[in-house]
């Protein structure tokens, strides 16, 4: 017969339905959650967007405003995060826009400028910074 599956990761429940037996089975999963990392300078609290305990397979790192995480995601398997931690670094700046006589990409460095760096102006022909 055909089976259908639905996972409620937050409550660690798996629902299995059988079309031939007209039944729905509820199976409690005993998967240990991962704890969000602690003590990361400039990280948000909690450090994972999913909360202090991660019941899904992914922790999405979150930093304080103006900072970005060095990892885009931490994997959670059997209660262990991989990698175990991340850092928070200053967010890049966006290149200015709407500057008269500037090229569409106004900085030689591109549309994002690393924090602490300078934008080298690019102007249309016949104009100088």
């Amino acid at each position: 017969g055909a089976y259908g599956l639905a996972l409620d990761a937050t409550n660690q429940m798996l629902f299995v339905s059988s079309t031939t037996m007209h039944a729905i089975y509820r199976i409690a999963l005993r998967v240990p959650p991962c704890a969000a990392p602690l003590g990361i300078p400039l990280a948000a609290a909690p450090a994972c967007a999913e909360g202090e305990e991660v019941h899904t397979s992914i922790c999405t790192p979150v930093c304080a405003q103006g900072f970005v995480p060095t990892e885009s995601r931490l994997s959670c398997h059997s209660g262990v995060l991989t990698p175990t931690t991340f850092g928070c670094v200053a967010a890049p700046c966006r290149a200015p826009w709407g500057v008269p006589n500037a090229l569409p990409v106004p900085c030689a460095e591109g549309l994002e400028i690393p924090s602490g760096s300078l934008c080298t102006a690019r102007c249309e022909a016949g104009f100088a910074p």
Side-chain angles (χ1 to χ4, degrees), residues 40-48 60-71 86-89:
I40 299 172
L42 303 170
C48 295
T60 307
V62 183
C63 294
Q65 187 172 352
F67 295 86
V68 294
T70 56
E71 300 286 340
F86 65 93
C88 291
V89 295

Side-chain angles (χ1 to χ4, degrees), residues 6-129:
L7 175 64
D8 178 352
T10 302
N11 295 312
Q12 296 187 14
M13 301 296 290
L14 177 66
F15 297 91
V16 181
S17 62
S18 168
T19 55
T20 56
M21 298 176 61
H22 305 290
I24 297 177
Y25 303 96
R26 186 176 83 175
I27 302 167
L29 306 174
R30 299 288 181 234
V31 179
C34 291
L38 299 172
I40 299 172
L42 303 170
C48 295
E50 294 75 13
E52 291 180 11
E53 286 191 343
V54 179
H55 294 277
T56 59
S57 61
I58 300 296
C59 159
T60 307
V62 183
C63 294
Q65 187 172 352
F67 295 86
V68 294
T70 56
E71 300 286 340
S72 61
R73 58 192 260 173
L74 308 178
S75 297
C76 175
H77 296 287
S78 300
V80 178
L81 287 173
T82 306
T84 57
T85 191
F86 65 93
C88 291
V89 295
C93 297
R94 292 185 184 195
W97 58 275
V99 178
N101 305 312
L103 290 176
V105 178
C107 300
E109 295 75 14
L111 293 174
E112 286 193 344
I113 316 305
S115 180
S117 297
L118 298 175
C119 166
T120 307
R122 296 176 61 216
C123 300
E124 293 177 342
F127 293 90

